[in-house]
Amino acid sequence: MKGYDLSRAWFNYCFENPELIKPIHTAVFFFACEHYNRLGKKDKFGFPTVMAMEAVGVKKYHTYGKALNDLVDWGFIKMVETMILSVRYLTRYQSI
C-alpha cells in the first residue's frame, strides 16, 4: 500500500470513529510508517519503544503502549513479536 493510501485509510478510520482516536494514535502510526519507509519497507521490522516514545514526545510508557495496542487491535499494525527484555516491538503493516 502506498503512503497516500495508508494516510487516506487512517483518516477515514478517524472520521468514522472519532470517539476512539487521540492525537497519540496518529503520531505513533505515522512514525511507524516513517520508520517502515526508512528501513526499505521490510515485511518485519523492529520498532524500539524508547525510540518511538522520543519521536512522538511521549514520556509515559502506558500512554504509548495503549496507543500501539489500539493500532494493533484496529488492524493498522500487525504485532509479530514482543521482546520483553529489551522492551522492543517487531511490527508489520497489515492491509487495510
Side-chain angles (χ1 to χ4, degrees):
M1 189 176 284
K2 294 182 181 180
Y4 176 79
D5 295 330
L6 287 170
S7 175
R8 183 70 178 233
W10 171 249
F11 285 109
N12 283 344
Y13 186 83
C14 291
F15 280 110
E16 293 166 5
N17 301 282
E19 71 283 358
L20 300 176
I21 305 301
K22 294 180 182 172
I24 183 74
H25 294 110
T26 300
V28 171
F29 179 66
F30 279 97
F31 181 66
C33 291
E34 171 65 18
H35 190 59
Y36 168 74
N37 285 329
R38 284 183 184 210
L39 294 174
K41 300 181 180 180
K42 294 168 54 175
D43 286 340
K44 298 177 185 177
F45 61 93
F47 196 54
T49 299
V50 173
M51 177 190 69
M53 288 175 63
E54 287 178 0
V56 301
V58 174
K59 305 287 186 237
K60 295 183 180 180
Y61 172 77
H62 178 76
T63 302
Y64 166 77
K66 177 156 179 17
L68 181 61
N69 288 332
D70 286 344
L71 291 168
V72 170
D73 291 345
W74 300 334
F76 285 95
I77 293 176
K78 181 178 179 187
M79 188 73 69
V80 176
E81 182 179 355
T82 301
M83 301 187 72
I84 302 297
L85 295 176
S86 64
V87 193
R88 189 176 89 196
Y89 290 98
L90 296 175
T91 58
R92 183 177 72 86
Y93 287 101
Q94 183 171 316
S95 299
I96 300 172

